[in-house]
Amino acid sequence: LEANRYYMYFHALIPFRPVNPKTRLSGVLTQEEREEFAQVMLGDVISAVRRTGCTATLLCTSKYECRDALVAIRREGLNEAINWALPQFHCPALIIMSDLPMVTPGSLQRVVSTKADMAIVPGLGGGTNILFIKNPEKFHVEYYGFSFRRHLQIAEELGMTVEIIDSMRMSTDVDEPADLVELMIHGHGNAREWLYNHGFTLSTESGRVSVVREGKEIA
């Protein structure tokens, strides 16, 4: 896959919280497991980005070492960290969350090949999972809450054209136990394998597909 079919180069920003991430999974994973699982999901995202032929920088809230991406330690909030980085870009920017383990190089190719000034992938519940901005130096982000609509409004105010991309793989972020069902059904990478290796299985005993660990249904 060649993202540079349309651009010579783009760079990805991936926010990542190494310590005590994914607190909404604390009912089914210990803190140590959540940290390990978050790293595995991040690895799947970085792999998809790199397979487009481009590079990534992690915006980490604390010290973290990664052989496959640059690392910038930013202790401020998510919006402040990303808005610190965007003006420094001299190429198109891909902002992608670290908890999208079902993303593939092909789905990212769909994003970065947009003919619009910006492509956006909404998350379930009104969030923003992926932004691709051709001129990031003039853009700013406002994550949390109904960020999808806010990012559309910011683009409109700047006179930017936008393509909204509807994708199950890219819209499904793993935050809660119920999200594990989708990952185990549709996933293909290391995050899905990690779940199976740690005792998670799929079950249809309740009449619907659910996730079971140690005989207990969790989602």
Side-chain angles (χ1 to χ4, degrees):
L1 293 173
E2 297 181 357
N4 56 8
R5 174 183 173 191
Y6 297 90
Y7 291 105
M8 291 294 293
Y9 182 77
F10 77 85
H11 192 76
L13 278 179
I14 310 175
F16 183 61
R17 181 181 177 184
V19 179
N20 196 26
K22 297 293 156 196
T23 54
R24 280 182 279 178
L25 292 175
S26 58
V28 296
L29 295 172
T30 66
Q31 179 175 336
E32 182 179 358
E33 287 175 329
R34 284 186 285 113
E35 291 175 357
E36 184 178 336
F37 183 50
Q39 291 177 25
V40 175
M41 289 196 292
L42 171 65
D44 283 343
V45 172
I46 293 174
S47 175
V49 169
R50 285 170 58 87
R51 286 170 64 190
T52 65
C54 289
T55 54
T57 292
L58 307 184
L59 293 177
C60 295
T61 53
S62 57
K63 185 177 179 180
Y64 185 71
E65 295 183 3
C66 181
R67 65 179 183 179
D68 294 322
L70 301 172
V71 177
I73 307 301
R74 304 300 302 181
R75 302 188 186 281
E76 69 269 53
L78 175 64
N79 291 322
E80 292 79 6
I82 295 176
N83 290 330
W84 163 82
L86 288 181
Q88 304 178 49
F89 271 71
H90 302 289
C91 63
L94 180 78
I95 306 170
I96 179 169
M97 298 296 107
S98 65
D99 57 357
L100 304 176
M102 292 193 291
V103 70
T104 64
S107 57
L108 287 182
Q109 179 70 22
R110 182 180 169 195
V111 175
V112 302
S113 63
T114 183
K115 292 179 172 60
D117 297 324
M118 184 179 88
I120 184 169
V121 180
L124 303 177
T128 303
N129 282 4
I130 300 176
L131 283 170
F132 179 67
I133 311 163
K134 292 182 179 178
N135 295 296
E137 67 277 1
K138 68 177 183 178
F139 196 81
H140 72 278
V141 299
E142 293 184 16
Y143 283 92
Y144 302 113
F146 204 0
S147 66
F148 169 63
R149 288 295 178 189
R150 286 202 298 275
H151 289 141
L152 292 180
Q153 182 178 1
I154 293 168
E156 182 179 4
E157 292 170 353
L158 293 172
M160 298 169 61
T161 57
V162 179
E163 180 181 1
I164 299 171
I165 296 179
D166 181 12
S167 166
M168 182 274 292
R169 287 191 173 279
M170 294 187 288
S171 292
T172 305
D173 47 335
V174 178
D175 277 324
E176 302 181 5
D179 301 323
L180 300 179
V181 176
E182 301 302 326
L183 174 57
M184 295 184 72
I185 294 173
H186 302 290
H188 56 86
N190 292 326
R192 176 179 181 272
E193 183 178 353
W194 187 95
L195 290 172
Y196 276 103
N197 289 341
H198 285 76
F200 291 83
T201 57
L202 291 172
S203 172
T204 57
E205 288 188 8
S206 63
R208 59 181 177 82
V209 180
S210 60
V211 173
V212 174
R213 189 185 197 190
E214 297 177 351
K216 179 182 178 181
E217 182 176 317
I218 62 170

